[in-house]
Amino acid sequence: MAGPLARWALALWVGVGALFVYKYGIRVTPWAGVLTLGYAALAGYTLWAEQQGRVWRRWVLAAFGLWSVLLAVVCGLTDPDRLNVDRHSMVYAFWDAVLAGQHPLVARTHLGYTATAFPALYFTLVPFYPLGWYALPTWLAVAAMGYWAYRHRATVRYSHVLALCVLSPAVAYEVVVRSSVLWNGALCLALVLWLLPKLERPHRTPLNLLALGLVVGLGLFTRTLVAIPLAVVVGHLLRHWPPTRVLRWGLWVSVGATLAGVAQLLPLYLWDPELFQAQGPFARQARFLPSATLAALGVGAVAVGYGVALPTAQARPRLVLWGGLYCLLVVGVYAGYVVARVGWAETYPANGLDISYFTFGLPLVAWGLAYRESLSPS
């Protein structure tokens, strides 16, 4: 993949991996800095070479198979309840509380924290709850991205998707600690890829738009970060659609999305209004950044989408990639906010900041980078 934007995105991908290498490497070796630089050099060169077609696809497939086996062995030898990460226990704590007749917002993880995501995310993980296989969703997300890219190999290089994931310690981390953040990011990617072709056929009935809004709402009410790639798409439509069409779509899609949100949040509110207002997903996620900062970031995402001048059919790579990159920016702003509040030593490499949030945008970045066409500035 050619173009300055692609090179910057590839550097950020390696940079996110380096964050994980250094944070956890410093806990086991005094040579963590050297290890991090070595990883960045190796991963950067290998991904660049694969991007240029200098790495055989069969090697990438073999590496993905070996990577999968190694992660399965590590997961088999690792008890997630003994790790200082509680993403997996948020899932079973949520559903254990529901099945016990308790309000899920009072459920506590094995580290004593409450759930922060919206209920829709936990519904997507229901199939894995009875088995306790919380490492499987992330691995399935990677495998599904590779398979879907293979199905669309005329426009997307599936080997590059797999190479990016294999060479990212952040992705491996998500699997080993049984986190659901990258899984959530993959769901966001699926939503955007499902939505973009529909925007190329804008003449739809109100009922069609209402149904589309319901699907968008289900995706939106999994985690607040889902709004970022959608805001990029909205900005693009503001540039290319007439105002009347934007208003018509915006009205019906907003109604559908609101209905989807009310359907999942109203039962929690009626169950205990005071608890919902104090510990509900809106209250929890609003604590991450000040409202003015969130509003400014949202306007910025719309502006980024507005800056993509190509028609929607040709702009898909840029919209997907910019959505992922802007998610990384939002998490980076949040990281800076935490550093300013509690100091660097308590943020990184300590646990004041959950760096797994950086993995949310990775599926969109990987898919955007894997498009075959050039990503020159538009």
Side-chain angles (χ1 to χ4, degrees):
M1 181 76 65
L5 179 58
R7 288 193 289 272
W8 277 106
L10 195 61
L12 284 173
W13 182 279
V14 175
V16 170
L19 283 176
F20 284 81
V21 172
Y22 184 77
K23 176 171 182 175
Y24 294 100
I26 201 172
R27 302 180 183 188
V28 295
T29 174
W31 298 94
V34 176
L35 181 65
T36 303
L37 291 175
Y39 157 76
L42 176 63
Y45 174 77
T46 304
L47 290 172
W48 174 82
E50 201 285 327
Q51 199 176 56
Q52 302 299 316
R54 300 183 184 183
V55 178
W56 288 352
R57 289 180 183 175
R58 67 186 67 177
W59 290 2
V60 176
L61 293 173
F64 177 71
L66 179 61
W67 178 81
S68 300
V69 171
L70 289 175
L71 286 183
V73 171
V74 172
C75 288
L77 297 174
T78 305
D79 180 4
D81 286 333
R82 302 189 66 179
L83 301 175
N84 194 30
V85 182
D86 60 358
R87 291 286 175 190
H88 72 287
S89 60
M90 284 185 182
V91 180
Y92 69 68
F94 183 93
W95 288 114
D96 284 351
V98 171
L99 295 178
Q102 300 174 350
H103 200 296
L105 295 181
V106 302
R108 297 281 175 175
T109 69
H110 72 287
L111 297 180
Y113 298 104
T114 56
T116 57
F118 288 95
L121 178 64
Y122 299 109
F123 278 97
T124 68
L125 295 167
V126 164
F128 311 101
Y129 169 72
L131 301 173
W133 292 354
Y134 301 115
L136 196 55
T138 300
W139 184 89
L140 284 177
V142 174
M145 284 194 299
Y147 174 73
W148 194 248
Y150 177 77
R151 290 283 303 273
H152 296 80
R153 56 190 178 276
T155 56
V156 182
R157 298 180 65 242
Y158 70 91
S159 60
H160 199 54
V161 173
L162 296 180
L164 285 164
C165 293
V166 169
L167 288 170
S168 174
V171 176
Y173 168 91
E174 285 285 295
V175 176
V176 172
V177 304
R178 284 75 156 175
S179 175
S180 59
V181 179
L182 190 136
W183 163 260
N184 201 168
L187 293 176
C188 180
L189 170 64
L191 175 64
V192 172
L193 293 179
W194 173 81
L195 181 62
L196 286 175
K198 300 186 180 305
L199 301 177
E200 298 165 23
R201 301 186 298 275
H203 302 291
R204 296 179 177 272
T205 66
L207 187 60
N208 292 149
L209 296 178
L210 191 65
L212 189 146
L214 287 170
V215 177
V216 170
L218 290 174
L220 185 60
F221 285 96
T222 54
R223 185 171 264 113
T224 308
L225 275 171
V226 176
I228 296 301
L230 294 179
V232 172
V233 174
V234 169
H236 178 70
L237 298 181
L238 288 174
R239 176 169 185 152
H240 292 275
W241 280 10
T244 53
R245 184 186 298 166
V246 172
L247 289 174
R248 181 171 176 270
W249 271 65
L251 173 63
W252 288 107
V253 172
S254 297
V255 170
T258 301
L259 290 175
V262 169
Q264 62 169 301
L265 296 177
L266 185 60
L268 297 181
Y269 174 80
L270 295 177
W271 194 337
D272 191 329
E274 292 184 3
L275 177 64
F276 183 87
Q277 293 176 18
Q279 295 292 335
F282 286 118
R284 291 297 304 274
Q285 299 205 13
R287 298 170 190 167
F288 287 110
L289 284 171
S291 300
T293 304
L294 288 173
L297 289 170
V299 172
V302 173
V304 165
Y306 191 87
V308 179
L310 293 174
T312 304
Q314 301 173 30
R316 286 189 202 178
R318 291 168 178 81
L319 294 175
V320 172
L321 184 57
W322 272 119
L325 292 176
Y326 207 90
C327 285
L328 295 180
L329 171 65
V330 171
V331 178
V333 171
Y334 165 62
Y337 176 72
V338 175
V339 170
R341 189 178 59 189
V342 302
W344 175 259
E346 293 298 321
T347 303
Y348 181 90
N351 293 318
L353 172 69
D354 184 356
I355 63 173
S356 65
Y357 285 117
F358 280 104
T359 66
F360 181 90
L362 295 186
L364 291 105
V365 174
W367 194 270
L369 283 171
Y371 273 98
R372 294 184 181 278
E373 56 225 71
S374 173
L375 283 177
S376 304
S378 58

